[in-house]
Each structure stands twice: as C-alpha cells, then as structure tokens.
C-alpha cells in the first residue's frame, strides 16, 4: 500500500488529490496549518468517512512549510512513497502585498522538503512540485511548452521559478525523483472565493437570485487557459508514475478573456449582459441595471496578459487527457453555487 504526503491538503487541489489517492487505495497523510477557525471544510467529508473505518487511511498533522522542523519530523515519521507539495501562498495579487512571506513558503518551502528527504536518505521517495503557468508571465512564446523560458511578473511567479529550478537541481545533483508540474489555471466548485472564476460565478448567481450587490472586477482583458482541478490532480499523479522524473505542462490549449468568462457564465444563467464604456469606466448592464463595474483595487502592479499552454508532452508520455472543457467546468461550478447558496 503506497503512502502519500500532501502539503496544502486543505486547499482546492489538496482536496481533489486526497479523494483521488484514497480511491487508488493510498494511505494519505496531509499537513494542515493551525488556524483560529477550522480550515478543513474541503476535506471533512473524506475524513469523516475514513474515521468510521476499521483501518482509516486518512491522517492530518499540524505543520507549516515555513517551519523546517515540522516538515522534517513529519517526513521522518511518515516515510512517504510520494510527496505532493501543493502548499503555497497561491494568490498572485496577495503576493505583491506579502512578497517575503510568499517567497518563504513558495520558494524556500520547496527547499525545506527537498533537504528533508535528502538528509533523511529516503532514496525511494518521489516528490511532485506544484509549478505554475505564472512562471511564464510576460510570455516569450505562444503557446507555452516545457521549453518556453520563464519571465515571471509577480513575487508569486518569481518564488515558483525558484521552486522549479531547485527541484531540478536536487534531481540532477542528488539523483532524486523530483518532478515539476507546470499547471495552468484550474478551477472547480472548491476554488477559493477570491479567485476570479469563483468570484464571478458566486456573484452572478447571487444577483440572479435577487441580491442587490454589484460584481466589482479588475482587468477584463487578460486571457487564461482554464481547466478543471479534478483533471489536473490526475495529471499530478500520472507525473509521479512516469518512469523517470521530468517536467510537464498541463493545460487545455484554449484561452478566454475574463470578460468572455463573465459572458459564458451569464449565458448559463440566462442573463443578457450588455457592456458599455471604456477602460476603468467599462460597465456591465442587466437590462438597465448596472451589475458589473471595475475598480483599480483589483488591477495588479504588473499583469500576466495572456496564457495558453501546449500539453502535447503530457498527452504523449503520461497519457493525460482532460475530461472537462470550459462549458462543463462552468456548468458544474454554477450548479454547485445554486445548491450551496440558500438565501441572500
Ligand atoms: P489553494 O486552494 O490556495 O491551497 C493552498 C494550500 O496551501 C492550502 O491548504 C493552504 O492552507 C496551504 N498553505 C499555504 N501556505 C502554507 C504554508 N506556509 N505551510 C503549509 N501550508 C500552507 O491552492 P490550490 O489552487 O489548491 O493550488 C495548489 C498548488 O498548486 C499551489 O502550490 C499553487 O500555487 C499551485 N498552482 C495552482 C494553480 C491553480 O490554478 N489552482 C495553478 C498552478 C499552480 P490553508 O487552507 O490553511 O490556507
Ligand atoms: O486571476 C484578473 C486578474 O486571481 C486571473 C492562481 O491559482 O492561477 C491563479 O492565478 C485573472 C488575472 O488567477 C479580478 O488580473 C480581474 O489576470 O483568478 P486569478 P491567477 O492570477 O491567474 C495560476 C496559474 C496560479 O498558479 C495561482 O496560484 O483575472 N482579474 N478581476 C481578477 N482576479 C481576481 N482574483 N479578482 C478580480 O476581481
């Protein structure tokens, strides 16, 4: 029975990956942070189900990527076959406000895991590092592949570039099995509420149900390649099952602007939105009612304008195929909101 350790288990991907690995009969350990209120909502259903079994296979431990000792002690105790390093301060806009914290967890945190595995001499432990399309930033090539040079545009992107290269360095210097996934944006009903897809869907569903609120956004014209987290965690697992450590781009190969995403959600909700005005004064109307406006608050000091990935390598070598397209993703996210939003 394989043992997996997931950092960032309380996040979107951590929840989907836990479920995926439990279904594959793994014993799953996860690192969660101590918080003043419960932060395990995304995985409680898995935990409660496992708790009732004679031999539960799901365990949570307190720890933090910014605390070397907690990481090293846990790895020593668990001796995992596979480590999925998903923990990160993952919000790009927040990384401009907390650059040092972001670097500590998203860059040096990776080093802490690699060093722990190296010092402990766990030669068979495989490590997955959660890399991101944000490393391509101001893109130097379109579409982006494993060979496209990086040009990060945020403290988050810069920290992840360190994580990427230190993983390759440990692979080459110490012959460790360390693989990088370079994952493009992936969303789901479990997506954090401050990321743009979830924010748009939650707000438009509330407006559809009669809320008087306004949806306030930033840049409507950046383009993203959006997939579903369920497909992407399967890619993480496939990456570690590949015969050798390697790096893989995971993307759908299709891109949409934020405005197109809003229009697709509105279409699903049967809301006819018309757009008027330019620049920061651009507004979205439902009939005569202004329901969408822009605020400088949500623009970033430096933006990533356009991302679109080419996953040919993953398709060929690890046989990864996404099952969701943007329509299916939006359908699932919208339906989830209707089920979970009761009253406004
Ligand atoms: P997420 O929902 O924001 O989850 C991040 C997780 O990391 C949470 O469990 C969080 O704990 C934990 N965490 C944050 N800082 C930590 C620290 N210092 N020590 C320990 N745990 C910490 O992110 P996600 O969307 O699941 O993404 C998973 C990983 O993939 C991240 O590394 C992200 O940067 C990367 N990634 C994401 C995407 C995407 O589109 N989703 C694309 C490419 C790469 P709390 O619950 O306590 O906050
Ligand atoms: O922004 C624009 C914003 O915050 C997408 C993380 O998972 O994916 C994610 O990073 C775009 C940007 O995701 C709002 O300016 C407009 O151009 O949903 P997001 P992200 O920055 O692409 C990558 C791959 C990761 O690795 C990250 O961890 O939408 N935008 N208006 C807005 N964005 C937000 N959040 N809020 C707005 O109101």
């Amino acid at each position: 029975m394989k043992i997996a350790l997931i950092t960032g288990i309380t996040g979107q991907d951590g929840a989907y990956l836990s479920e995926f690995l439990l279904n594959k009969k793994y014993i799953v350990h996860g690192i969660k942070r101590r918080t003043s209120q419960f932060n395990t909502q995304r995985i409680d259903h898995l935990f409660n189900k496992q708790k009732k079994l004679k031999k539960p296979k799901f365990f949570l431990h307190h720890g933090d990527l910014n605390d070397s000792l907690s990481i090293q002690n846990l790895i020593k105790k668990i001796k995992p076959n596979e480590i999925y390093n998903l923990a990160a301060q993952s919000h790009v806009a927040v990384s401009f406000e907390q650059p040092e914290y972001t670097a500590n967890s998203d860059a040096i945190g990776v080093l802490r895991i690699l060093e722990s595995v190296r010092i402990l001499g766990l030669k068979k432990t495989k490590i997955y590092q959660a890399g991101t399309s944000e490393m391509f930033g101001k893109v130097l090539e379109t579409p982006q592949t494993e060979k496209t040079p990086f040009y990060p545009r945020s403290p988050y992107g810069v920290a992840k570039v360190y994580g990427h290269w230190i993983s390759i360095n440990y692979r080459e210097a110490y012959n460790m099995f360390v693989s990088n996934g370079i994952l493009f944006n992936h969303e789901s009903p479990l997506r954090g509420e401050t990321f743009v897809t979830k924010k748009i869907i939650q707000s438009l569903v509330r407006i559809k149900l009669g809320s008087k609120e306004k949806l306030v956004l930033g840049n409507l014209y950046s383009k993203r390649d959006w997939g579903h987290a369920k497909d992407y965690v399967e890619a993480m697992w496939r990456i570690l099952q590949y015969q050798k450590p390697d790096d893989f781009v995971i993307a759908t190969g299709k891109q949409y602007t934020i405005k197109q995403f809003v229009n697709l959600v509105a279409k699903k909700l049967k809301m006819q939105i018309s757009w008027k005005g330019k620049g920061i004064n651009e507004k979205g109307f439902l009939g005569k009612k202004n329901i969408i406006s822009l605020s400088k608050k949500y623009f970033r000091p430096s933006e990533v304008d356009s991302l679109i990935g080419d996953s040919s390598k993953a398709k060929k070598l690890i046989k990864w195929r996404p099952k969701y397209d943007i329509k299916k993703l939006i359908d699932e996210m919208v339906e989830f909101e209707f089920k979970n939003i009761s009253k406004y």
Side-chain angles (χ1 to χ4, degrees), residues 161-229:
V161 170
Y162 177 89
H164 179 87
W165 279 109
I166 198 67
S167 296
I168 293 176
N169 182 243
Y170 270 60
R171 181 201 297 166
E172 292 176 353
Y174 306 115
N175 205 19
M176 286 167 57
F177 196 115
V178 191
S179 296
N180 289 297
I182 307 175
L183 273 52
F184 283 61
N185 297 55
H186 46 279
E187 320 294 310
S188 74
L190 301 186
R191 186 57 144 154
E193 294 174 358
T194 59
F195 295 97
V196 80
T197 56
K198 182 78 166 179
K199 178 174 167 182
I200 291 167
I201 289 174
Q202 279 197 327
S203 182
L204 291 186
V205 167
R206 286 194 293 250
I207 292 169
K208 177 83 186 172
L209 291 174
S211 164
K212 303 266 179 291
E213 74 187 70
K214 211 185 260 186
L215 168 60
V216 184
L217 293 169
N219 184 3
L220 288 177
Y221 294 98
S222 54
K223 295 180 192 147
R224 290 291 182 274
D225 176 335
W226 282 294
H228 194 299

Side-chain angles (χ1 to χ4, degrees), residues 10-13 33 39 64-65 86 88 90 156 160 183 186:
T10 56
Q12 170 189 252
D13 291 3
R33 303 195 280 185
N39 64 347
D64 197 301
L65 276 199
L86 310 186
S90 73
Y156 169 75
K160 286 283 187 178
L183 273 52
H186 46 279

Side-chain angles (χ1 to χ4, degrees), residues 4 30 98 114 149 158 181 188 213 235 271 295 329 332 337 341:
Q98 292 192 274
L114 296 168
V158 174
S188 74
E213 74 187 70
M271 294 161 90
S295 164
L329 168 70
E332 193 181 304
E337 288 316 319
I341 292 175

Side-chain angles (χ1 to χ4, degrees), residues 1 27 40 48 73 93 117 139 142 150 158 175 194 197-198 215 272 292-293 302 306-307 310 324-326 333-334:
M1 214 175 256
I27 295 174
T40 53
N48 291 334
N73 286 336
V117 172
V139 296
T142 294
F150 297 141
V158 174
N175 205 19
T194 59
T197 56
K198 182 78 166 179
L215 168 60
Q272 185 82 43
I292 304 169
S293 61
S302 47
S306 174
L307 290 171
D310 175 353
Y324 283 81
D325 62 10
I326 189 105
M333 289 179 75
V334 166

Side-chain angles (χ1 to χ4, degrees), residues 29 41 45 47 50 55 105 153 191 205 216 252 286 288 323:
H29 291 264
Q41 295 86 337
H45 62 294
F47 195 74
Q50 285 289 322
K55 283 193 177 169
S105 40
R153 293 272 281 173
R191 186 57 144 154
V205 167
V216 184
T252 69
L286 185 62
K288 283 188 182 153
K323 296 181 187 76

Side-chain angles (χ1 to χ4, degrees), residues 308-324:
I308 180 165
D310 175 353
S311 287
S312 304
K313 181 176 169 184
K315 284 187 181 133
K316 189 168 167 218
L317 298 184
I318 58 167
K319 314 281 177 240
W320 177 75
R321 298 270 182 294
K323 296 181 187 76
Y324 283 81

Side-chain angles (χ1 to χ4, degrees), residues 7-15 31-35 39 42 63-66 71 85-91 101 104-106 128-134 156 160 181-187 190-192 195 229 232 236:
T7 73
I9 198 158
T10 56
Q12 170 189 252
D13 291 3
I31 297 181
K32 63 168 183 169
R33 303 195 280 185
R34 189 269 155 184
T35 44
N39 64 347
R42 289 184 176 109
D64 197 301
L65 276 199
N66 294 345
I71 299 301
N85 181 33
L86 310 186
Q89 191 302 94
S90 73
H91 204 282
Y101 180 83
N104 202 355
S105 40
D106 300 13
Y128 171 86
Q129 166 54 19
T132 164
S133 49
E134 282 295 300
Y156 169 75
K160 286 283 187 178
I182 307 175
L183 273 52
F184 283 61
N185 297 55
H186 46 279
E187 320 294 310
L190 301 186
R191 186 57 144 154
F195 295 97
Y232 286 47
M236 294 174 189

Side-chain angles (χ1 to χ4, degrees), residues 111-123:
L111 177 68
R112 293 186 180 108
I113 291 179
L114 296 168
E115 254 312 84
S116 300
V117 172
R118 187 186 75 80
I119 290 171
L120 292 166
L122 299 176
K123 296 208 182 310

